[in-house]
Amino acid sequence: MTSHSQTKKQKLSVREMIDHKKNTKSLSTITEKLVPIILFLFALISILTTVGIIYTLLNETIEFFKQVPIIDFFTGTVLKPLSQNPEFGILPLINGTILSSLIAMLVAGPIGIMAAIYLSEYASDRVRRVLKPMLEVLAGIPTIVYGFFAFTFVTPILRSIWPSIDATNILSPGIVMGVMIIPMIASLSEDAMSSVPNSMREGAFALGATRLESTFKVVIPAALSGIIASFILGISRAIGETMIVTIASGSSKNFTFDITESMQTMTAYIVEVAGGEAPAGSTIYFSLYAVAMTLFVFTLIMNLLARYVSRKFREEY
Amino acid sequence: MNYIDIQQVQKKMNTRIVKNNILKYIFFISTTIGLVVLAALLIQVFTQGLSAINMDFITGRLSTEASRAGIMGAILGTFWLMVVVIPVTIVIGIGTALFLELYLKGGKIQSLIQTNISNLAGVPSIVYGILGLTIFVRAMDFGNIVLAGGLTLSLLILPIVIVAAQESIRSVPQHLMEASYGMGATKWQTIRRIILPAALPGMLTGAILAISRAIGETAPLTVIGIPALLIPFPGGIFDKFTALPMQIYYWTLDSSLVEEYANLAAATIIVLLLLLFLLNSAAIFIRNKFQHRY
């Protein structure tokens, strides 16, 4: 009889067991409630990083524009932060940045897209599996190593071909930066081209197209949004690249279009001024933030544009 | 009656095929250009650097005299940086990914944080340097110590770690989680015992690749202000430091004054590349050995 009553006592319904468990404040119920809060705090850090970047840049940039009129900053062609009568015109830096990015894209654009065509349209599976990881090694090499390479290898070669070139110039870092960006453009464009369905290529072949014609008349138009997005991301990468230009292009703030001369980019200026330990509160110190803000806005626009292009003009199959 | 003039077609066909074949080789050559440059880079670095590498160089202290200079201080600096970066990025990165994928799936807030993370991934590293300089070095008044540099680098690579962790959480099949819930496990129990073990290899692979990016990163450190000639070895995360890429930077810059510095820079690059090679091999090993296929 006792055994019968005991089993009766244990015959709780599942519902009751769940309620019982919910009501006891055990360690596990506390962790259940605590974990999301802790994880939320971790996720908050990425938001705080953005807020921190924008706040610090904006704050000090406004301070800078109180000392230097904003129009002088964006239209000034003379940058002499260290002279007796300092002048802060950002145009020489923007000029250097655009020229070096342009050279880089002239190298990386054609080569990157041709590599993407080869990998996506011509290469056999086996060849692709060897070549692609090797290309990606290029993307994994630290930029400082590319800087060393540009300075000690590419510049001397350029000077032996073209003796009038300066020891520090914008051409050599531009070329090396282009090589650095090749894998990025190749791999993003290849992704875009590989996602074009095979039926479309086969349709072209059935109409008598050669592989080349199917590539240029079918695959590339279909993958265009992805290819353009990869170009924009490449430009954004070139604009933000620091060490290669800092080492190989020197620090003269020339406002010129002669690519054999030394020029400074926005990134290189930041390195020079911050490394020189400008006293906090001086105009030079604040100019650091104004230049960084400009750089930040440039790359942000590029990244948003890339995302917009790849979303808006994507062909869905 | 002939609708198609076969001779015309064949005449045209030949040029089309020849064009196709020629361009095929041009495309192939373009693919290999990158590899040729990579080979040139490695040959240049090794021919210049190997002569300077010896035991004294690895274990020695920095010096203005090229023949006596060693990079133990820079190696230790990089080591201490990683002591900060590795735990911070792994904990915060995986935590954020878990939150986004499992607690916040769908909804406005998730897409807000997601957009924010992909924008952060596109911010130039030098801007992170400015953030580190302003927040960690000046506002929090750490000075240019390992902790400030490590936290800056952590913020820089966090987006990469988060995205990699998210992808590996997504690759855990839904039915595993449902089975766990069906057995009566709570959410955290499911995460800890089912999702984390299944997703960990992918998370670690992504984290190691991100960390190797942090090791080679120079620009944020130049902004924080690393002394060019730091003789004492850093002994902890509160010491002033220099790091391998910083040393490469200073020696390359000064190589126009003292020629031997270029050899030292090349030798330091060899050490750095070896370190990165080891880390990447570890990442590939983990991926191949522990990755589950469902």
Side-chain angles (χ1 to χ4, degrees):
Chain A
M1 285 307 273
T2 44
S3 75
H4 179 73
S5 76
Q6 260 181 1
T7 44
K8 204 174 181 186
K9 227 183 213 169
Q10 284 171 350
K11 262 190 187 161
L12 292 164
S13 73
V14 176
R15 161 71 49 206
E16 282 169 323
M17 283 164 68
I18 292 174
D19 284 342
H20 175 74
K21 183 139 198 210
K22 266 188 185 162
N23 292 332
T24 42
K25 287 245 181 282
S26 66
L27 189 68
S28 83
T29 47
I30 298 173
T31 30
E32 272 327 299
K33 288 198 177 117
L34 217 57
V35 163
I37 299 173
I38 294 171
L39 293 184
F40 170 71
L41 291 179
F42 287 151
L44 208 59
I45 288 174
S46 75
I47 300 273
L48 283 179
T49 310
T50 310
V51 174
I53 289 174
I54 294 174
Y55 176 77
T56 48
L57 289 184
L58 212 56
N59 213 13
E60 314 282 18
T61 304
I62 290 170
E63 204 56 46
F64 175 74
F65 286 136
K66 281 181 190 156
Q67 299 176 19
V68 176
I70 186 163
I71 298 189
D72 293 4
F73 180 67
F74 282 112
T75 59
T77 56
V78 182
L79 182 63
K80 277 195 252 162
L82 291 167
S83 79
Q84 285 290 340
N85 302 308
E87 281 186 71
F88 292 94
I90 198 180
L91 283 183
L93 300 181
I94 289 184
N95 179 51
T97 303
I98 289 178
L99 272 182
S100 62
S101 308
L102 195 72
I103 297 168
M105 288 310 292
L106 284 177
V107 173
I111 295 181
I113 190 150
M114 286 200 282
I117 291 174
Y118 183 76
L119 289 174
S120 150
E121 302 301 311
Y122 286 91
S124 66
D125 232 25
R126 224 184 45 191
V127 173
R128 180 169 41 233
R129 240 178 288 155
V130 176
L131 281 180
K132 224 185 157 185
M134 283 170 83
L135 262 184
E136 262 145 33
V137 172
L138 269 180
I141 288 184
T143 58
I144 182 78
V145 178
Y146 282 113
F148 173 83
F149 180 66
F151 191 62
T152 62
F153 186 80
V154 178
T155 302
I157 286 182
L158 289 174
R159 291 186 86 182
S160 66
I161 303 169
W162 193 354
S164 68
I165 212 162
D166 290 354
T168 55
N169 59 75
I170 202 81
L171 182 60
S172 150
I175 293 171
V176 174
M177 215 149 73
V179 173
M180 181 192 77
I181 297 171
I182 289 174
M184 183 180 180
I185 291 187
S187 129
L188 289 174
S189 299
E190 200 232 314
D191 287 346
M193 288 160 72
S194 304
S195 67
V196 174
N198 251 337
S199 56
M200 294 182 64
R201 291 187 189 88
E202 282 154 9
F205 295 149
L207 290 172
T210 62
R211 198 163 270 282
L212 183 72
E213 287 156 356
S214 93
T215 302
F216 276 96
K217 293 182 180 157
V218 175
V219 177
I220 288 183
L224 200 60
S225 72
I227 294 171
I228 294 177
S230 81
F231 270 53
I232 300 174
L233 287 176
I235 297 172
S236 159
R237 180 84 197 275
I239 291 175
E241 174 42 47
T242 311
M243 296 323 293
I244 303 176
V245 279
T246 305
I247 287 181
S249 182
S251 59
S252 44
K253 296 147 185 68
N254 289 330
F255 185 62
T256 164
F257 295 100
D258 182 359
I259 53 172
T260 63
E261 278 183 40
S262 163
M263 272 176 236
Q264 199 168 36
T265 62
M266 291 192 268
T267 50
Y269 177 79
I270 296 173
V271 170
E272 189 200 357
V273 170
E277 295 189 1
S282 61
T283 316
I284 301 181
Y285 175 75
F286 288 126
S287 75
L288 190 71
Y289 290 88
V291 172
M293 185 81 195
T294 317
L295 175 70
F296 177 72
V297 170
F298 261 59
T299 53
L300 186 67
I301 290 174
M302 287 292 170
N303 292 331
L304 293 178
L305 194 67
R307 195 150 350 121
Y308 175 77
V309 166
S310 71
R311 284 232 179 111
K312 178 93 181 169
F313 300 105
R314 176 156 40 206
E315 310 259 349
E316 297 280 358
Y317 299 105
Chain B
M1 190 171 162
N2 270 338
Y3 287 104
I4 299 174
D5 186 348
I6 296 291
Q7 275 185 335
Q8 275 292 333
V9 170
Q10 271 174 349
K11 222 166 85 188
K12 222 177 165 197
M13 200 65 209
N14 277 339
T15 56
R16 284 165 67 199
I17 289 174
V18 168
K19 225 195 244 170
N20 180 42
N21 287 341
I22 292 174
L23 274 165
K24 179 183 170 179
Y25 286 107
I26 294 180
F27 292 151
F28 175 72
I29 290 166
S30 304
T31 317
T32 54
I33 285 179
L35 305 180
V36 171
V37 175
L38 179 67
L41 188 152
L42 291 178
I43 291 169
Q44 158 80 359
V45 165
F46 275 86
T47 48
Q48 208 167 4
L50 273 184
S51 61
I53 282 199
N54 51 44
M55 225 34 218
D56 291 343
F57 177 72
I58 303 289
T59 59
R61 285 171 196 277
L62 289 174
S63 163
T64 46
E65 226 175 291
S67 57
R68 287 180 43 211
I71 53 165
M72 199 59 206
I75 292 175
L76 283 172
T78 294
F79 169 77
W80 285 115
L81 275 178
M82 290 310 118
V83 169
V84 176
V85 170
I86 291 172
V88 169
T89 50
I90 287 189
V91 170
I92 298 179
I94 292 180
T96 306
L98 286 175
F99 185 72
L100 288 177
E101 285 300 309
L102 299 167
Y103 286 93
L104 207 67
K105 197 71 195 152
K108 277 240 159 63
I109 305 177
Q110 198 211 5
S111 75
L112 178 84
I113 299 182
Q114 204 72 65
T115 316
N116 176 49
I117 288 169
S118 58
N119 280 335
L120 277 180
V123 173
S125 59
I126 190 134
V127 174
Y128 283 96
I130 298 228
L131 180 73
L133 173 74
T134 317
I135 305 277
F136 300 129
V137 177
R138 302 229 163 144
M140 292 186 177
D141 209 16
F142 288 162
N144 46 6
I145 59 171
V146 174
L147 185 62
L151 290 176
T152 309
L153 292 178
S154 302
L155 292 183
L156 171 70
I157 63 168
L158 253 182
I160 312 175
V161 180
I162 293 172
V163 171
Q166 275 185 296
E167 265 165 25
S168 61
I169 292 172
R170 259 181 246 143
S171 73
V172 177
Q174 196 72 25
H175 61 77
L176 281 185
M177 293 178 222
E178 278 158 11
S180 168
Y181 289 133
M183 301 286 283
T186 61
K187 193 159 197 170
W188 176 240
Q189 284 169 333
T190 306
I191 291 175
R192 201 160 53 97
R193 299 195 187 146
I194 306 293
I195 298 175
L196 273 184
L200 209 56
M203 289 174 167
L204 285 185
T205 309
I208 293 175
L209 293 179
I211 286 160
S212 56
R213 160 117 195 259
I215 288 179
E217 197 57 66
T218 323
L221 297 182
T222 60
V223 178
I224 286 174
I226 305 297
L229 187 66
L230 188 78
I231 305 291
F233 289 157
I237 60 168
F238 297 106
D239 288 352
K240 283 181 185 294
F241 71 106
T242 182
L244 286 170
M246 283 310 290
Q247 217 43 59
I248 299 170
Y249 171 58
Y250 285 130
W251 273 330
T252 309
L253 271 190
D254 292 342
S255 66
S256 44
L257 307 173
V258 184
E259 230 170 272
E260 287 80 35
Y261 281 172
N263 300 342
L264 297 182
T268 316
I269 289 175
I270 294 175
V271 174
L272 180 66
L273 288 182
L274 276 180
L275 187 62
L276 295 181
F277 178 74
L278 286 178
L279 275 174
N280 281 287
S281 310
I284 291 168
F285 176 76
I286 289 177
R287 188 170 60 196
N288 293 343
K289 179 99 183 170
F290 298 106
Q291 191 87 299
H292 297 278
R293 296 251 173 251
Y294 294 101

